[in-house]
Amino acid sequence: MITLENLTKSFPGDSAPVLALRDVNFDINAGSLYGVVGAAGSGKSTLARCVALQERPDRGVVRLDGLNTGTLDGRRLREIRRQVGIVDSRVALQPERTVAGNVASPLEQLGVEGPRRRTRVGNLLDLVGLTQRGGQHPAELNPGQRRRVAVAKALATSPAVLLADDPTAGLQNEEAAGVLTALDRARAELGLTVLVTTPDAGVVRRICDDVAVLEDGRVVENGNVLSLLVDPSSRTAQALLPAIETTRAQSARYDRAVDVVLIGFASVGALLPEAATRFGIDIATIGGGLTRIGDTPVGRFRIGLRGEQADGALAWIAERGAHVTHPVSGPQGVAA
């Protein structure tokens, strides 16, 4: 587990210190894929450097499996740093070496013998989907493939934590998807804890279990992604849930018009039809849509209900885990 306790970090400014992190607190469970989301200047990269033990906070503690890293120096600090693999958008590959040679370089520095080194490199190239590219040079790859080579290189020494600082920056959608798949496979197949910092909520939608939202160096929201979605007013829900755009006239055609958030295959596929049948009412979708959070389908809809048992149906739907809210009047729009 990674624990951040009251993490505060500042840098010199023109007239006064600039606070990059302000009393940041959250836990990252072992084996999770955790996203830290925020706009440019929110403190994401500073936080990443503190977790990677490249920066010391002014105040507060980074704990790795309970170890207070602030007390480390010298050889012990270097040993613990090796437990954190780092990938960022500034890919530093050696152009004269092949893809396989780049991935092998950290193992060569540790003196790992040839047969073991080749086996490890082969396994990692398979994990990032570049088995057929091992003999090529970085210049022969597209930017997304080079980023995946960087992921494999960061994994070469078997770290316990993989830190990816804005790993999809500057990539086309298809290239970014390949990098995110590599990170997800690293967590799933190697049992790593993966921390991803990004300005793109779409990264959280694709691969993250948990999220912290940074704003001006502060954590303004954090928790399990799916749990945060049940509150449509949360920042995570506003960023990830489908938009709802309807008019008062559309809602006025029904006895009741509400917004619902449905999470999971059973809820999305069956809950509303079952409610209509059970209570003998009509339920129509008048806005919203579906998305996926990882492999989990999530729906956010505005529904209209007609029939005497509409209120009972809504109570029944809410009892089964749907989040039901009554929208304000007039046109509604929430950014997806």
Coordinates of all heavy atoms in Angstrom, one line a residue, residues 103-197:
V103 N 15.0 -2.3 -23.6 CA 14.3 -3.0 -22.5 C 15.4 -3.7 -21.6 O 15.2 -3.8 -20.4 CB 13.2 -3.9 -22.9 CG1 12.6 -4.7 -21.8 CG2 12.2 -3.2 -23.7
A104 N 16.4 -4.2 -22.2 CA 17.4 -5.0 -21.5 C 18.4 -4.1 -20.7 O 19.0 -4.6 -19.8 CB 18.2 -5.9 -22.5
S105 N 18.5 -2.9 -21.0 CA 19.6 -2.0 -20.5 C 19.5 -2.0 -18.9 O 20.6 -2.0 -18.3 CB 19.6 -0.6 -21.1 OG 18.3 0.0 -20.8
P106 N 18.4 -1.8 -18.3 CA 18.4 -1.8 -16.8 C 18.9 -3.2 -16.2 O 19.5 -3.2 -15.2 CB 16.9 -1.6 -16.4 CG 16.3 -1.0 -17.6 CD 17.0 -1.6 -18.8
L107 N 18.6 -4.3 -16.9 CA 19.0 -5.6 -16.4 C 20.5 -5.7 -16.6 O 21.2 -6.3 -15.8 CB 18.3 -6.7 -17.2 CG 16.8 -6.7 -17.0 CD1 16.1 -7.7 -18.0 CD2 16.4 -7.0 -15.6
E108 N 21.1 -5.2 -17.7 CA 22.5 -5.2 -17.9 C 23.2 -4.4 -16.8 O 24.3 -4.9 -16.3 CB 22.9 -4.6 -19.3 CG 22.4 -5.4 -20.4 CD 22.5 -4.7 -21.7 OE1 23.0 -3.6 -21.7 OE2 22.2 -5.3 -22.8
Q109 N 22.7 -3.3 -16.4 CA 23.3 -2.5 -15.3 C 23.3 -3.3 -14.0 O 24.2 -3.0 -13.2 CB 22.5 -1.2 -15.2 CG 22.7 -0.3 -16.4 CD 21.7 0.9 -16.3 OE1 21.2 1.2 -15.3 NE2 21.6 1.6 -17.5
L110 N 22.3 -4.1 -13.8 CA 22.3 -4.9 -12.6 C 23.1 -6.2 -12.7 O 23.1 -7.0 -11.7 CB 20.8 -5.3 -12.2 CG 19.9 -4.1 -11.8 CD1 18.5 -4.6 -11.6 CD2 20.4 -3.4 -10.6
G111 N 23.6 -6.5 -13.8 CA 24.5 -7.7 -14.0 C 23.7 -9.0 -14.2 O 24.2 -10.0 -13.9
V112 N 22.4 -8.9 -14.7 CA 21.6 -10.1 -14.9 C 22.2 -10.8 -16.1 O 22.5 -10.2 -17.1 CB 20.2 -9.7 -15.2 CG1 19.3 -10.9 -15.5 CG2 19.6 -9.0 -14.0
E113 N 22.4 -12.1 -15.9 CA 23.1 -12.9 -17.0 C 22.2 -13.0 -18.2 O 21.0 -12.9 -18.2 CB 23.4 -14.3 -16.4 CG 22.1 -15.1 -16.0 CD 22.4 -16.4 -15.4 OE1 23.6 -16.7 -15.0 OE2 21.5 -17.3 -15.3
G114 N 22.9 -13.3 -19.4 CA 22.2 -13.3 -20.7 C 20.9 -14.1 -20.8 O 19.9 -13.5 -21.2
P115 N 20.9 -15.4 -20.5 CA 19.7 -16.2 -20.7 C 18.5 -15.6 -19.9 O 17.4 -15.5 -20.4 CB 20.1 -17.6 -20.2 CG 21.6 -17.6 -20.4 CD 22.1 -16.2 -20.1
R116 N 18.7 -15.3 -18.6 CA 17.6 -14.7 -17.8 C 17.2 -13.3 -18.4 O 16.0 -13.0 -18.4 CB 18.1 -14.5 -16.4 CG 18.2 -15.8 -15.5 CD 18.6 -15.5 -14.1 NE 17.7 -14.5 -13.5 CZ 18.1 -13.7 -12.5 NH1 19.4 -13.7 -12.1 NH2 17.2 -12.8 -12.0
R117 N 18.2 -12.6 -18.8 CA 17.9 -11.3 -19.4 C 17.0 -11.4 -20.6 O 16.0 -10.7 -20.8 CB 19.2 -10.5 -19.7 CG 19.0 -9.1 -20.0 CD 20.3 -8.3 -20.1 NE 21.2 -8.8 -21.2 CZ 22.4 -9.3 -21.0 NH1 22.9 -9.5 -19.8 NH2 23.1 -9.7 -22.1
R118 N 17.4 -12.3 -21.5 CA 16.6 -12.5 -22.8 C 15.2 -13.0 -22.5 O 14.2 -12.5 -23.1 CB 17.3 -13.4 -23.7 CG 18.6 -12.8 -24.3 CD 19.2 -13.7 -25.4 NE 19.8 -14.9 -24.9 CZ 21.0 -14.9 -24.4 NH1 21.8 -13.9 -24.5 NH2 21.5 -16.1 -24.0
T119 N 15.0 -13.9 -21.5 CA 13.7 -14.4 -21.2 C 12.8 -13.2 -20.6 O 11.7 -13.1 -21.0 CB 13.8 -15.5 -20.1 OG1 14.5 -16.6 -20.7 CG2 12.4 -16.0 -19.7
R120 N 13.4 -12.4 -19.7 CA 12.7 -11.3 -19.1 C 12.3 -10.3 -20.2 O 11.1 -9.9 -20.3 CB 13.5 -10.6 -18.1 CG 12.9 -9.4 -17.4 CD 11.7 -9.8 -16.5 NE 11.2 -8.7 -15.8 CZ 10.0 -8.7 -15.2 NH1 9.2 -9.8 -15.3 NH2 9.5 -7.6 -14.6
V121 N 13.2 -10.0 -21.1 CA 12.8 -9.0 -22.2 C 11.7 -9.6 -23.1 O 10.8 -8.9 -23.4 CB 14.1 -8.7 -23.0 CG1 13.7 -7.9 -24.2 CG2 15.1 -7.9 -22.1
G122 N 11.8 -10.8 -23.4 CA 10.8 -11.4 -24.3 C 9.4 -11.4 -23.6 O 8.4 -11.1 -24.3
N123 N 9.4 -11.7 -22.3 CA 8.1 -11.7 -21.6 C 7.5 -10.3 -21.6 O 6.3 -10.1 -21.7 CB 8.3 -12.2 -20.2 CG 8.6 -13.7 -20.2 OD1 8.3 -14.4 -21.1 ND2 9.1 -14.2 -19.1
L124 N 8.4 -9.3 -21.4 CA 7.9 -7.9 -21.3 C 7.4 -7.4 -22.6 O 6.4 -6.6 -22.7 CB 9.0 -7.0 -20.7 CG 9.2 -7.3 -19.2 CD1 10.4 -6.4 -18.7 CD2 8.0 -6.9 -18.3
L125 N 8.1 -7.7 -23.7 CA 7.7 -7.3 -25.0 C 6.4 -7.9 -25.4 O 5.5 -7.3 -26.0 CB 8.8 -7.6 -26.1 CG 10.1 -6.8 -26.0 CD1 11.0 -7.3 -27.1 CD2 9.8 -5.3 -26.1
D126 N 6.1 -9.1 -25.0 CA 4.8 -9.8 -25.2 C 3.8 -9.0 -24.4 O 2.7 -8.8 -24.9 CB 4.9 -11.3 -24.8 CG 3.6 -11.9 -24.9 OD1 3.1 -12.1 -26.0 OD2 3.0 -12.3 -23.8
L127 N 4.1 -8.7 -23.1 CA 3.1 -8.0 -22.3 C 2.6 -6.7 -22.9 O 1.5 -6.3 -22.9 CB 3.7 -7.8 -20.9 CG 2.7 -7.2 -19.9 CD1 3.0 -7.8 -18.5 CD2 2.9 -5.6 -19.8
V128 N 3.6 -5.9 -23.5 CA 3.2 -4.6 -24.1 C 2.8 -4.7 -25.6 O 2.6 -3.7 -26.2 CB 4.3 -3.6 -23.9 CG1 4.6 -3.4 -22.4 CG2 5.6 -4.0 -24.7
G129 N 2.8 -5.9 -26.1 CA 2.3 -6.1 -27.5 C 3.3 -5.8 -28.5 O 2.9 -5.4 -29.6
L130 N 4.6 -5.9 -28.2 CA 5.6 -5.6 -29.2 C 6.6 -6.7 -29.5 O 7.8 -6.4 -29.9 CB 6.4 -4.3 -28.7 CG 5.6 -3.0 -28.6 CD1 6.4 -1.9 -27.9 CD2 5.2 -2.6 -30.0
T131 N 6.2 -7.9 -29.4 CA 7.1 -9.1 -29.6 C 7.7 -9.0 -31.0 O 8.9 -9.3 -31.1 CB 6.3 -10.4 -29.5 OG1 5.7 -10.5 -28.1 CG2 7.2 -11.6 -29.7
Q132 N 7.0 -8.6 -32.0 CA 7.5 -8.6 -33.3 C 8.4 -7.4 -33.6 O 9.0 -7.3 -34.7 CB 6.4 -8.6 -34.4 CG 5.4 -9.8 -34.2 CD 6.1 -11.1 -34.3 OE1 6.9 -11.3 -35.1 NE2 5.7 -12.0 -33.4
R133 N 8.5 -6.5 -32.7 CA 9.3 -5.3 -32.9 C 10.6 -5.3 -32.2 O 11.4 -4.3 -32.2 CB 8.5 -4.0 -32.4 CG 7.1 -3.9 -33.0 CD 7.2 -3.3 -34.4 NE 5.9 -3.1 -34.9 CZ 5.6 -2.4 -36.1 NH1 6.7 -2.0 -36.8 NH2 4.4 -2.3 -36.5
G134 N 11.0 -6.4 -31.5 CA 12.2 -6.4 -30.7 C 13.5 -6.1 -31.4 O 14.4 -5.5 -30.8
G135 N 13.6 -6.4 -32.7 CA 14.8 -6.2 -33.4 C 14.8 -4.8 -34.1 O 15.9 -4.5 -34.8
Q136 N 13.8 -4.0 -34.0 CA 13.7 -2.7 -34.6 C 14.3 -1.7 -33.7 O 14.6 -1.9 -32.5 CB 12.3 -2.3 -35.0 CG 11.7 -3.2 -36.1 CD 10.3 -2.8 -36.5 OE1 9.4 -2.6 -35.6 NE2 10.1 -2.6 -37.8
H137 N 14.6 -0.5 -34.3 CA 15.1 0.6 -33.5 C 14.0 1.6 -33.2 O 12.9 1.7 -33.9 CB 16.2 1.3 -34.2 CG 17.5 0.5 -34.3 ND1 17.7 -0.5 -35.2 CD2 18.6 0.5 -33.5 CE1 18.8 -1.1 -35.0 NE2 19.4 -0.4 -34.0
P138 N 14.1 2.4 -32.1 CA 13.0 3.3 -31.7 C 12.5 4.2 -32.9 O 11.3 4.5 -32.9 CB 13.6 4.2 -30.6 CG 14.6 3.2 -30.0 CD 15.2 2.4 -31.1
A139 N 13.4 4.7 -33.8 CA 13.0 5.6 -34.8 C 12.0 4.9 -35.8 O 11.3 5.6 -36.6 CB 14.2 6.0 -35.6
E140 N 12.0 3.5 -35.8 CA 11.1 2.8 -36.7 C 9.7 2.6 -36.1 O 8.8 2.1 -36.8 CB 11.7 1.4 -37.0 CG 13.0 1.5 -37.7 CD 13.6 0.1 -37.9 OE1 13.2 -0.6 -38.8 OE2 14.5 -0.2 -37.1
L141 N 9.5 3.1 -34.9 CA 8.2 2.9 -34.2 C 7.4 4.2 -34.2 O 8.0 5.3 -34.3 CB 8.4 2.5 -32.7 CG 9.3 1.2 -32.5 CD1 9.4 0.9 -31.0 CD2 8.8 0.0 -33.3
N142 N 6.1 4.1 -34.0 CA 5.3 5.3 -33.8 C 5.4 5.8 -32.3 O 5.9 5.0 -31.5 CB 3.8 5.1 -34.3 CG 3.1 4.1 -33.4 OD1 3.2 4.1 -32.2 ND2 2.2 3.3 -34.1
P143 N 4.9 7.0 -32.0 CA 5.1 7.4 -30.6 C 4.4 6.5 -29.6 O 5.0 6.4 -28.5 CB 4.4 8.8 -30.7 CG 4.5 9.3 -32.1 CD 4.4 8.0 -32.9
G144 N 3.3 6.0 -29.9 CA 2.6 5.1 -28.9 C 3.4 3.8 -28.7 O 3.5 3.3 -27.5
Q145 N 4.0 3.3 -29.7 CA 4.9 2.1 -29.6 C 6.1 2.4 -28.7 O 6.5 1.6 -27.9 CB 5.2 1.5 -30.9 CG 4.1 0.9 -31.7 CD 4.4 0.6 -33.1 OE1 5.2 1.3 -33.7 NE2 3.7 -0.3 -33.7
R146 N 6.7 3.6 -29.0 CA 7.8 4.0 -28.2 C 7.5 4.1 -26.7 O 8.2 3.8 -25.8 CB 8.5 5.3 -28.7 CG 9.2 5.1 -30.0 CD 10.1 6.3 -30.3 NE 9.3 7.5 -30.6 CZ 8.9 7.8 -31.9 NH1 9.1 7.0 -32.9 NH2 8.2 8.9 -32.1
R147 N 6.3 4.6 -26.4 CA 5.8 4.8 -25.1 C 5.6 3.4 -24.4 O 5.9 3.2 -23.3 CB 4.5 5.5 -25.0 CG 4.1 6.2 -23.7 CD 4.9 7.4 -23.4 NE 4.9 8.4 -24.4 CZ 4.0 9.4 -24.6 NH1 3.0 9.5 -23.9 NH2 4.2 10.3 -25.6
R148 N 5.2 2.4 -25.2 CA 5.0 1.0 -24.7 C 6.4 0.4 -24.4 O 6.6 -0.4 -23.5 CB 4.2 0.2 -25.7 CG 2.7 0.4 -25.6 CD 2.0 -0.6 -26.4 NE 1.8 -0.2 -27.8 CZ 1.6 -1.0 -28.8 NH1 1.5 -2.3 -28.6 NH2 1.5 -0.5 -30.0
V149 N 7.4 0.7 -25.2 CA 8.8 0.3 -25.0 C 9.2 0.8 -23.6 O 9.8 0.1 -22.8 CB 9.8 0.7 -26.1 CG1 11.2 0.3 -25.7 CG2 9.4 0.1 -27.4
A150 N 8.9 2.1 -23.3 CA 9.2 2.7 -22.1 C 8.6 2.0 -20.9 O 9.1 1.9 -19.8 CB 8.9 4.2 -22.1
V151 N 7.3 1.6 -21.1 CA 6.6 0.8 -20.1 C 7.4 -0.5 -19.8 O 7.7 -0.9 -18.7 CB 5.2 0.5 -20.5 CG1 4.5 -0.5 -19.5 CG2 4.4 1.8 -20.6
A152 N 7.7 -1.2 -20.9 CA 8.5 -2.5 -20.7 C 9.8 -2.2 -20.0 O 10.2 -3.0 -19.1 CB 8.7 -3.1 -22.1
K153 N 10.5 -1.2 -20.4 CA 11.8 -0.9 -19.8 C 11.6 -0.6 -18.3 O 12.4 -1.0 -17.4 CB 12.4 0.3 -20.5 CG 13.8 0.7 -20.0 CD 14.4 1.9 -20.8 CE 15.8 2.3 -20.3 NZ 16.3 3.4 -21.1
A154 N 10.6 0.2 -17.9 CA 10.3 0.5 -16.5 C 10.0 -0.8 -15.7 O 10.2 -0.8 -14.5 CB 9.2 1.5 -16.4
L155 N 9.5 -1.8 -16.4 CA 9.1 -3.1 -15.7 C 10.3 -4.0 -15.6 O 10.1 -5.1 -14.9 CB 7.9 -3.7 -16.4 CG 6.6 -3.0 -16.4 CD1 5.6 -3.6 -17.3 CD2 6.1 -2.9 -15.0
A156 N 11.4 -3.8 -16.3 CA 12.4 -4.8 -16.4 C 13.0 -5.2 -15.1 O 13.2 -6.4 -14.9 CB 13.6 -4.2 -17.3
T157 N 13.1 -4.4 -14.1 CA 13.7 -4.8 -12.9 C 12.7 -5.2 -11.8 O 13.0 -5.3 -10.6 CB 14.5 -3.6 -12.3 OG1 13.7 -2.4 -12.1 CG2 15.7 -3.2 -13.2
S158 N 11.5 -5.6 -12.3 CA 10.4 -6.1 -11.4 C 10.1 -5.2 -10.2 O 10.1 -5.6 -9.1 CB 10.8 -7.5 -10.9 OG 11.1 -8.4 -11.9
P159 N 9.7 -3.9 -10.5 CA 9.3 -3.0 -9.4 C 8.0 -3.5 -8.8 O 7.2 -4.2 -9.4 CB 9.2 -1.7 -10.1 CG 8.8 -2.0 -11.5 CD 9.6 -3.3 -11.8
A160 N 7.7 -3.0 -7.6 CA 6.5 -3.3 -7.0 C 5.4 -2.3 -7.4 O 4.2 -2.5 -7.3 CB 6.6 -3.3 -5.4
V161 N 5.9 -1.1 -7.8 CA 5.0 0.0 -8.1 C 5.4 0.5 -9.5 O 6.6 0.7 -9.8 CB 5.1 1.2 -7.1 CG1 4.2 2.4 -7.5 CG2 4.6 0.7 -5.7
L162 N 4.4 0.8 -10.4 CA 4.7 1.4 -11.6 C 4.0 2.8 -11.6 O 2.8 2.9 -11.4 CB 4.1 0.6 -12.8 CG 4.4 1.2 -14.2 CD1 5.9 1.3 -14.5 CD2 3.7 0.3 -15.3
L163 N 4.7 3.9 -11.8 CA 4.2 5.2 -11.8 C 4.2 5.7 -13.3 O 5.3 5.8 -13.9 CB 5.0 6.1 -10.9 CG 4.5 7.4 -10.5 CD1 5.1 7.9 -9.2 CD2 4.6 8.5 -11.6
A164 N 3.1 6.1 -13.8 CA 3.0 6.6 -15.2 C 2.5 8.0 -15.1 O 1.3 8.3 -14.8 CB 2.0 5.7 -16.0
D165 N 3.4 9.0 -15.4 CA 3.0 10.4 -15.3 C 2.6 10.9 -16.7 O 3.4 11.0 -17.6 CB 4.2 11.2 -14.8 CG 3.9 12.7 -14.6 OD1 2.7 13.0 -14.5 OD2 4.9 13.5 -14.5
D166 N 1.3 11.1 -16.9 CA 0.7 11.5 -18.1 C 1.1 10.6 -19.3 O 1.7 11.1 -20.3 CB 1.0 13.0 -18.4 CG 0.0 13.7 -19.3 OD1 -0.9 13.0 -19.8 OD2 0.2 14.9 -19.6
P167 N 0.8 9.3 -19.2 CA 1.4 8.4 -20.2 C 0.8 8.5 -21.6 O 1.4 7.9 -22.5 CB 1.1 7.0 -19.6 CG -0.2 7.3 -18.8 CD 0.0 8.7 -18.2
T168 N -0.3 9.2 -21.8 CA -0.9 9.3 -23.1 C -0.7 10.6 -23.7 O -1.3 10.9 -24.8 CB -2.4 8.9 -23.0 OG1 -3.1 9.9 -22.1 CG2 -2.6 7.5 -22.5
A169 N 0.1 11.5 -23.1 CA 0.2 12.9 -23.6 C 0.7 12.8 -25.0 O 1.7 12.2 -25.4 CB 1.2 13.6 -22.7
G170 N 0.1 13.6 -25.9 CA 0.5 13.8 -27.3 C 0.2 12.6 -28.2 O 0.7 12.6 -29.4
L171 N -0.5 11.6 -27.7 CA -0.7 10.4 -28.5 C -2.1 10.4 -29.2 O -3.1 11.0 -28.7 CB -0.6 9.1 -27.7 CG 0.7 8.8 -27.0 CD1 0.6 7.5 -26.2 CD2 1.9 8.8 -28.0
Q172 N -2.2 9.8 -30.4 CA -3.5 9.6 -31.0 C -4.3 8.6 -30.2 O -3.7 7.8 -29.5 CB -3.3 9.2 -32.5 CG -2.5 10.1 -33.4 CD -3.2 11.5 -33.5 OE1 -4.4 11.5 -33.7 NE2 -2.5 12.5 -33.5
N173 N -5.6 8.6 -30.5 CA -6.5 7.7 -29.7 C -6.0 6.2 -29.7 O -6.0 5.6 -28.7 CB -7.9 7.8 -30.2 CG -8.5 9.2 -29.8 OD1 -8.1 9.8 -28.9 ND2 -9.6 9.5 -30.5
E174 N -5.7 5.7 -30.9 CA -5.4 4.3 -31.0 C -4.0 4.0 -30.3 O -3.9 3.0 -29.6 CB -5.3 3.9 -32.5 CG -5.0 2.4 -32.7 CD -5.1 2.0 -34.1 OE1 -5.7 2.8 -34.9 OE2 -4.6 0.9 -34.4
E175 N -3.1 5.0 -30.4 CA -1.8 4.8 -29.7 C -2.0 4.9 -28.2 O -1.4 4.1 -27.5 CB -0.8 5.9 -30.2 CG -0.5 5.8 -31.7 CD 0.4 7.0 -32.1 OE1 0.6 7.9 -31.3 OE2 0.8 7.0 -33.3
A176 N -2.8 5.8 -27.8 CA -3.0 5.9 -26.3 C -3.7 4.7 -25.8 O -3.4 4.2 -24.7 CB -3.9 7.1 -26.0
A177 N -4.6 4.1 -26.5 CA -5.3 2.9 -26.1 C -4.3 1.7 -25.9 O -4.4 1.0 -24.9 CB -6.4 2.5 -27.1
G178 N -3.3 1.6 -26.8 CA -2.3 0.6 -26.6 C -1.5 0.8 -25.4 O -1.1 -0.2 -24.7
V179 N -1.1 2.0 -25.0 CA -0.4 2.3 -23.8 C -1.2 1.9 -22.5 O -0.7 1.3 -21.6 CB 0.1 3.8 -23.7 CG1 0.7 4.1 -22.4 CG2 1.0 4.1 -24.9
L180 N -2.5 2.3 -22.6 CA -3.3 2.0 -21.4 C -3.6 0.5 -21.3 O -3.6 0.0 -20.1 CB -4.7 2.7 -21.6 CG -4.6 4.2 -21.6 CD1 -6.0 4.8 -21.7 CD2 -4.0 4.8 -20.3
T181 N -3.7 -0.2 -22.4 CA -3.8 -1.7 -22.3 C -2.5 -2.3 -21.7 O -2.6 -3.2 -20.8 CB -4.0 -2.3 -23.7 OG1 -5.3 -1.8 -24.2 CG2 -4.1 -3.8 -23.7
A182 N -1.4 -1.7 -22.0 CA -0.1 -2.2 -21.4 C -0.1 -2.0 -19.9 O 0.3 -2.9 -19.2 CB 1.1 -1.6 -22.1
L183 N -0.5 -0.8 -19.5 CA -0.5 -0.6 -18.1 C -1.5 -1.5 -17.3 O -1.2 -2.0 -16.2 CB -0.9 0.9 -17.8 CG 0.1 2.0 -18.3 CD1 -0.5 3.4 -18.1 CD2 1.4 1.8 -17.6
D184 N -2.7 -1.7 -17.9 CA -3.7 -2.6 -17.3 C -3.2 -4.0 -17.2 O -3.4 -4.7 -16.2 CB -5.0 -2.5 -18.1 CG -6.2 -3.0 -17.4 OD1 -6.1 -3.0 -16.1 OD2 -7.2 -3.4 -18.0
R185 N -2.5 -4.5 -18.3 CA -1.9 -5.8 -18.3 C -0.8 -5.9 -17.2 O -0.7 -7.0 -16.6 CB -1.4 -6.2 -19.6 CG -2.5 -6.5 -20.7 CD -1.9 -7.1 -21.9 NE -1.4 -8.4 -21.7 CZ -0.7 -9.1 -22.6 NH1 -0.4 -8.6 -23.8 NH2 -0.2 -10.3 -22.3
A186 N 0.0 -4.9 -17.1 CA 1.0 -4.9 -16.1 C 0.4 -5.1 -14.7 O 1.0 -5.9 -13.9 CB 1.8 -3.6 -16.1
R187 N -0.6 -4.4 -14.4 CA -1.3 -4.6 -13.1 C -1.9 -6.0 -12.9 O -1.7 -6.7 -11.9 CB -2.4 -3.5 -12.9 CG -3.1 -3.6 -11.6 CD -4.3 -4.5 -11.6 NE -5.3 -4.0 -12.5 CZ -6.3 -3.2 -12.3 NH1 -6.5 -2.8 -11.1 NH2 -7.2 -2.9 -13.2
A188 N -2.6 -6.5 -14.0 CA -3.3 -7.7 -13.9 C -2.4 -8.9 -13.9 O -2.6 -9.9 -13.1 CB -4.3 -7.8 -15.1
E189 N -1.3 -8.9 -14.7 CA -0.5 -10.1 -14.9 C 0.7 -10.1 -14.0 O 1.2 -11.2 -13.7 CB -0.1 -10.2 -16.4 CG -1.2 -10.4 -17.3 CD -0.8 -10.5 -18.8 OE1 0.4 -10.8 -19.0 OE2 -1.7 -10.2 -19.7
L190 N 1.2 -8.9 -13.6 CA 2.4 -8.9 -12.7 C 2.0 -8.5 -11.3 O 2.9 -8.6 -10.4 CB 3.4 -7.9 -13.3 CG 3.8 -8.1 -14.7 CD1 4.8 -7.0 -15.1 CD2 4.5 -9.5 -14.9
G191 N 0.8 -8.2 -11.0 CA 0.4 -7.9 -9.6 C 0.9 -6.6 -9.1 O 1.0 -6.4 -7.9
L192 N 1.2 -5.7 -10.0 CA 1.8 -4.4 -9.6 C 0.7 -3.4 -9.1 O -0.5 -3.6 -9.4 CB 2.4 -3.7 -10.8 CG 3.6 -4.3 -11.5 CD1 4.1 -3.4 -12.6 CD2 4.8 -4.4 -10.5
T193 N 1.1 -2.5 -8.3 CA 0.3 -1.3 -8.0 C 0.7 -0.2 -9.0 O 1.9 0.1 -9.2 CB 0.6 -0.8 -6.6 OG1 0.4 -1.8 -5.6 CG2 -0.2 0.5 -6.3
V194 N -0.3 0.3 -9.8 CA 0.0 1.3 -10.8 C -0.7 2.6 -10.5 O -1.9 2.6 -10.2 CB -0.6 0.8 -12.2 CG1 -0.3 1.8 -13.3 CG2 0.0 -0.6 -12.5
L195 N 0.1 3.6 -10.5 CA -0.4 5.0 -10.2 C -0.2 5.8 -11.5 O 0.9 5.9 -12.1 CB 0.4 5.7 -9.1 CG 0.1 7.2 -8.9 CD1 -1.3 7.4 -8.4 CD2 1.1 7.7 -7.8
V196 N -1.4 6.3 -12.0 CA -1.4 7.1 -13.3 C -1.8 8.5 -13.0 O -2.8 8.7 -12.3 CB -2.4 6.5 -14.3 CG1 -2.4 7.3 -15.6 CG2 -1.9 5.0 -14.6
T197 N -1.0 9.5 -13.4 CA -1.4 10.9 -13.3 C -1.8 11.4 -14.7 O -1.1 11.0 -15.7 CB -0.3 11.8 -12.7 OG1 0.8 11.9 -13.6 CG2 0.1 11.2 -11.4

